[in-house]
Amino acid sequence: MSAPGPLLGFVAWSGTGKTTLLERLIPLLGQRGLRLGVLKHTHHHFDMDKPGKDSHRLRQAGARQVMAASSLRHALICETPEQEPSLEALLARFDWERLDLLLVEGFKHHHFPKIELHRRALGRPLLFPSDPDIVALISDEPEATTLPQFRFEALDAIADFICARLPRQDGHGQPPLPPPLRLFALALEGIANPAGEAYLPGHLSQDASGCLQVRPASAFMPSALPLANCVIECPARSAIIPGERVRIRLLP
């Protein structure tokens, strides 16, 4: 699906805690310099208006679209009883010039990158085996998958993962990521460290499922660093084996 800007969905069965997680995650993403929006799919008969308020009275009188506006905020309420608006139509309502990332809660059957939330106690099946758009898993127990996995309480690591997925730009648009961000990635190649360096330069990438992967740069020399986009933490390690999960730091 083509979107006006970066989207990231959060999908789960009811009762998993999507809104609670977003409520805790949004401040951390804001601290990292992101301007965020949220689109939440909800039940059919929700109403954010209050009976007796002027906007509600005007809707009751028959207005199909009512906007309330002040110097601090504005809100548009639209009646759509004939047909639920498409996701594309809803996305077009946002002011993308003022957004770096739109977090989407729900809409799990649409095609855009998503993070799955899963709690075994609910007894519901995992979604990622049948949804190739899921790029990571937040769960209360480890699951058999190559997707990046996080515990619900690992909020900083989740925020770092989200930031690492965003395009890095200068000037207008997405601000550069504040260094150093620490993430986990899978080593695609063996990484030799005979001198016992604390950090080695690396090239960070993602596979089709969104899993973070890292390859070593040629040597730990100043001339090699501009070619690298991260450094691999390997204190007191003489080597890292292929497929090992290693901690990395993004370079500014």
Side-chain angles (χ1 to χ4, degrees), residues 1 3 5-11 18 21-22 25-26 29 34 36-40 87 91 96 99-108 110-117 133-138 150 157-167 206 209-210:
M1 184 193 72
L7 301 180
L8 182 62
F10 289 79
V11 295
K18 297 186 296 294
L21 178 79
L22 287 176
L25 191 58
I26 285 171
L29 294 172
L34 297 183
L36 301 169
V38 176
L39 172 58
K40 176 181 172 63
L87 177 58
L91 294 177
W96 288 92
L99 287 181
D100 298 314
L101 175 64
L102 182 67
L103 306 175
V104 181
E105 183 179 331
F107 297 93
K108 63 184 176 184
H110 291 75
H111 294 293
F112 59 93
K114 312 174 193 109
I115 294 177
E116 178 180 356
L117 282 63
D133 295 316
I134 291 176
V135 299
L137 177 67
I138 300 173
F150 305 93
I158 297 169
D160 289 347
F161 173 79
I162 292 171
C163 288
R165 290 185 53 84
L166 293 174
Q206 288 178 302
S209 66

Side-chain angles (χ1 to χ4, degrees), residues 105-151:
E105 183 179 331
F107 297 93
K108 63 184 176 184
H109 298 299
H110 291 75
H111 294 293
F112 59 93
K114 312 174 193 109
I115 294 177
E116 178 180 356
L117 282 63
H118 181 75
R119 294 189 188 274
R120 283 191 185 179
L122 294 179
R124 305 303 296 267
L126 288 158
L127 301 173
F128 73 81
S130 58
D131 188 347
D133 295 316
I134 291 176
V135 299
L137 177 67
I138 300 173
S139 178
D140 51 0
E141 298 289 343
E143 301 292 344
T145 177
T146 58
L147 291 174
Q149 295 189 57
F150 305 93
R151 301 296 292 265

Side-chain angles (χ1 to χ4, degrees), residues 36-244:
L36 301 169
V38 176
L39 172 58
K40 176 181 172 63
H41 192 269
T42 187
H43 58 81
H44 297 298
H45 299 294
F46 89 100
D47 196 338
M48 300 174 66
D49 213 351
K50 295 182 179 180
K53 292 294 184 179
D54 291 349
S55 55
H56 189 270
R57 292 168 56 195
L58 295 171
R59 289 171 55 218
Q60 292 296 103
R64 301 296 299 271
Q65 299 186 40
V66 174
M67 178 179 285
S70 74
S71 60
L72 298 178
R73 65 185 59 88
H74 64 271
L76 175 64
I77 302 175
C78 301
E79 303 296 330
T80 56
E82 301 88 356
Q83 183 177 4
E84 182 175 359
S86 67
L87 177 58
E88 290 79 4
L90 294 172
L91 294 177
R93 294 281 188 176
F94 284 86
D95 182 359
W96 288 92
E97 292 296 320
R98 297 172 179 266
L99 287 181
D100 298 314
L101 175 64
L102 182 67
L103 306 175
V104 181
E105 183 179 331
F107 297 93
K108 63 184 176 184
H109 298 299
H110 291 75
H111 294 293
F112 59 93
K114 312 174 193 109
I115 294 177
E116 178 180 356
L117 282 63
H118 181 75
R119 294 189 188 274
R120 283 191 185 179
L122 294 179
R124 305 303 296 267
L126 288 158
L127 301 173
F128 73 81
S130 58
D131 188 347
D133 295 316
I134 291 176
V135 299
L137 177 67
I138 300 173
S139 178
D140 51 0
E141 298 289 343
E143 301 292 344
T145 177
T146 58
L147 291 174
Q149 295 189 57
F150 305 93
R151 301 296 292 265
F152 279 89
E153 61 271 19
L155 295 170
D156 279 305
I158 297 169
D160 289 347
F161 173 79
I162 292 171
C163 288
R165 290 185 53 84
L166 293 174
R168 301 180 66 168
Q169 302 176 9
D170 295 321
H172 300 291
Q174 167 61 36
L177 300 177
L181 293 179
R182 303 178 73 194
L183 305 166
F184 282 105
L186 294 179
L188 291 184
E189 303 172 12
I191 302 172
N193 184 25
E197 300 283 359
Y199 302 99
L200 293 173
H203 302 289
L204 183 65
S205 61
Q206 288 178 302
D207 64 14
S209 66
C211 182
L212 295 176
Q213 303 172 328
V214 66
R215 289 184 172 89
S218 58
F220 193 73
M221 298 172 59
S223 60
L225 285 177
L227 302 177
N229 57 12
C230 70
V231 290
I232 304 158
E233 295 187 8
C234 47
R237 297 285 302 279
S238 60
I240 293 172
I241 63 174
E244 184 176 347

